[in-house]
Amino acid sequence: MSLESNQSTVAKSIKHLVVLVLVILWTLPTLGLLVSSVRDKDQLSSTGWWSALTSTVQNDVYRLPKASEQQFNNGRYEIQASIFEANKAGIISSWAPRADELGKFDADTETEFNETSNIVVGADGNVVWFSDDEFTHTRGPRLFYTAETPPRFTFDNYREVLQSEGIGRAFINTFTVTLPATFIPILIAAFAAYALAWMEFKGRLVFLAMIIGLIVVPLQMSLIPVLQVFAVIGKTFDIPSKSYLTVWLAHTGFGLPLAIFLLRNYMASLPRDIIESAYMDGATHFQIFMKMILPLSMPALASFAIFQFLWTWNDLLVAAVFLGQGEDKTVMTQQLIELLGSRGDNWEILTSGAFISIIVPIIIFLSMQRYFVRGLLAGSVKGG
């Protein structure tokens, strides 16, 4: 008995450990995205999010002011400047006038800068460049320095994204695409799933096999053929071939096979006795579907609604192909790409924008989580 108890305890510990590892692997990317979104953009581009709470040592360059900013104090000409911006701070350990000599001079030490002037680079970033002769340069020389900066957190990244032109409209456009593209395939799939699960007709298994086969068809293979079909229809009826209607239909077509397959399996697992009893009492298929199947299938419907909402909300490819370009058509994913710039090096915009875009899916998932869990357990009740 003791051996069995120990084995049971070890098995439970292993299960708990596996679950803990999966939870950590699932939450780490989101945590890293959140931490990165509130970090200073300079620190974000140089170190990873896991070092957000430690000081950062980095090399940088600063250009001294022009001669027009000099002042005459105590019988000498001075140019005063501050390497760090007003809202930033750091500690400079060393500096040099050339990049290959970095670390040559210590901070807070008066050093000969050139033949006619001296300079003091303070550890706090304040610079005093002075000379007995008047400065005449038109372009300030550069200082290469090594500085240790403490962790800096700011909401400027979010302000930049939220205040950027077009982000609000893109948010509305994304809802305009996502909501119909979520409910239309669910509506169609529910009727089709009921027919495949409870109605007897010739070719039912053939239709089911075709639907299962469509699930494995890559999305990219069908983009151009479907777009060509929309172009022909648009030319025939004199309507735009790229509009919200086309992107709704595209998402519906791409999501229907999986939706029908999942809902059919769930509906087929419902007890057969209650369906047959309702049919014997004179209920039609439509009445059975509306009054019995739909309420019982709510967990499965909610589960697929979560999946479909996430797919369409985060979609870029289908929206770019079937919706087109324009201020009234740009979705969040496209708007974030435009904010990144041509080189894509604005990490602060990427992190804050991505976290803003996932807020709505997180709210949807948490609000429908109980249906999602029950939907995943579909099939636990078997009918005759």
Side-chain angles (χ1 to χ4, degrees):
M1 188 69 180
S2 177
L3 179 61
E4 294 180 357
S5 177
N6 291 335
Q7 291 178 346
S8 177
T9 303
V10 171
K12 289 182 179 180
S13 300
I14 294 176
K15 291 180 182 179
H16 293 164
L17 180 61
V18 171
V19 172
L20 178 61
V21 171
L22 292 177
V23 170
I24 292 175
L25 292 177
W26 183 267
T27 56
L28 270 181
T30 305
L31 176 62
L33 190 67
L34 175 61
V35 173
S36 299
S37 66
V38 295
R39 294 187 68 196
D40 178 75
K41 61 181 181 180
D42 294 332
Q43 295 183 347
L44 177 62
S45 61
S46 59
T47 58
W49 64 270
W50 51 88
S51 60
L53 297 179
T54 60
S55 299
T56 304
V57 178
Q58 61 185 57
N59 300 327
D60 209 339
V61 61
Y62 173 76
R63 186 174 293 277
L64 292 170
K66 300 179 182 180
S68 57
E69 299 187 23
Q70 63 184 316
Q71 297 178 351
F72 187 76
N73 293 324
N74 299 324
R76 65 182 186 183
Y77 294 92
E78 293 182 354
I79 294 180
Q80 299 182 7
S82 179
I83 294 178
F84 301 117
E85 298 179 8
N87 59 341
K88 298 181 180 181
I91 300 175
I92 295 179
S93 58
S94 61
W95 68 277
R98 293 165 52 94
D100 56 356
E101 298 178 346
L102 191 59
K104 182 178 180 180
F105 303 112
D106 295 331
D108 291 327
T109 303
E110 182 177 334
T111 307
E112 182 179 345
F113 193 64
N114 52 37
E115 296 179 355
T116 60
S117 64
N118 291 358
I119 193 171
V120 177
V121 178
D124 57 357
N126 292 325
V127 179
V128 180
W129 183 21
F130 55 91
S131 173
D132 294 333
D133 300 327
E134 185 177 0
F135 293 103
T136 59
H137 61 277
T138 57
R139 182 178 175 83
R142 294 183 296 178
L143 291 179
F144 296 88
Y145 63 91
T146 300
E148 178 180 354
T149 56
R152 291 196 297 267
F153 298 97
T154 177
F155 287 102
D156 291 342
N157 302 332
Y158 286 95
R159 294 190 188 97
E160 185 175 357
V161 173
L162 294 175
Q163 294 176 1
S164 62
E165 184 177 358
I167 196 69
R169 181 62 185 179
F171 204 81
I172 297 175
N173 295 342
T174 307
F175 268 110
T176 305
V177 171
T178 303
L179 294 181
T182 300
F183 291 110
I184 293 175
I186 292 178
L187 179 64
I188 299 175
F191 283 98
Y194 175 81
L196 292 173
W198 295 106
M199 297 178 68
E200 298 289 342
F201 58 91
K202 292 183 179 180
R204 185 178 66 168
L205 296 180
V206 176
F207 278 111
L208 183 60
M210 292 175 58
I211 291 172
I212 296 175
L214 289 174
I215 295 177
V216 300
V217 176
L219 171 67
Q220 294 79 5
M221 289 182 56
S222 55
L223 289 178
I224 301 303
V226 173
L227 184 60
Q228 290 176 342
V229 172
F230 285 158
V232 173
I233 295 176
K235 185 177 181 180
T236 303
F237 295 96
D238 194 22
I239 57 177
S241 59
K242 291 186 177 183
S243 63
Y244 283 108
L245 178 60
T246 56
V247 76
W248 294 340
L249 295 177
H251 277 301
T252 299
F254 296 141
L256 268 179
L258 181 60
I260 295 175
F261 176 72
L262 293 178
L263 294 179
R264 184 263 172 194
N265 289 347
Y266 186 90
M267 292 180 182
S269 69
L270 297 175
R272 181 177 293 272
D273 295 341
I274 61 174
I275 308 298
E276 292 179 349
S277 299
Y279 188 74
M280 294 295 295
D281 291 339
T284 63
H285 281 296
F286 184 77
Q287 291 174 333
I288 294 174
F289 173 76
M290 295 297 296
K291 296 182 179 181
M292 298 180 61
I293 299 298
L294 276 186
L296 292 174
S297 302
M298 190 58 65
L301 295 173
S303 297
F304 180 77
I306 293 174
F307 281 123
Q308 184 70 4
F309 186 91
L310 295 179
W311 290 334
T312 53
W313 181 271
N314 296 320
D315 170 70
L316 172 63
L317 182 60
V318 176
V321 173
F322 295 99
L323 189 57
Q325 302 293 328
E327 182 181 354
D328 58 338
K329 297 181 179 180
T330 302
V331 295
M332 282 288 294
T333 49
Q334 290 177 310
Q335 187 67 28
L336 291 178
I337 291 177
E338 294 179 3
L339 289 177
L340 284 176
S342 59
R343 294 179 296 175
D345 54 356
N346 298 328
W347 286 98
E348 70 279 2
I349 295 179
L350 178 63
T351 55
S352 56
F355 204 83
I356 290 173
S357 67
I358 69 175
I359 290 178
V360 173
I362 288 178
I363 294 175
I364 295 296
F365 178 81
L366 294 178
S367 61
M368 303 180 68
Q369 184 179 8
R370 58 193 181 106
Y371 296 109
F372 180 72
V373 174
R374 291 171 59 190
L376 291 179
L377 300 177
S380 58
V381 179
K382 295 296 181 182

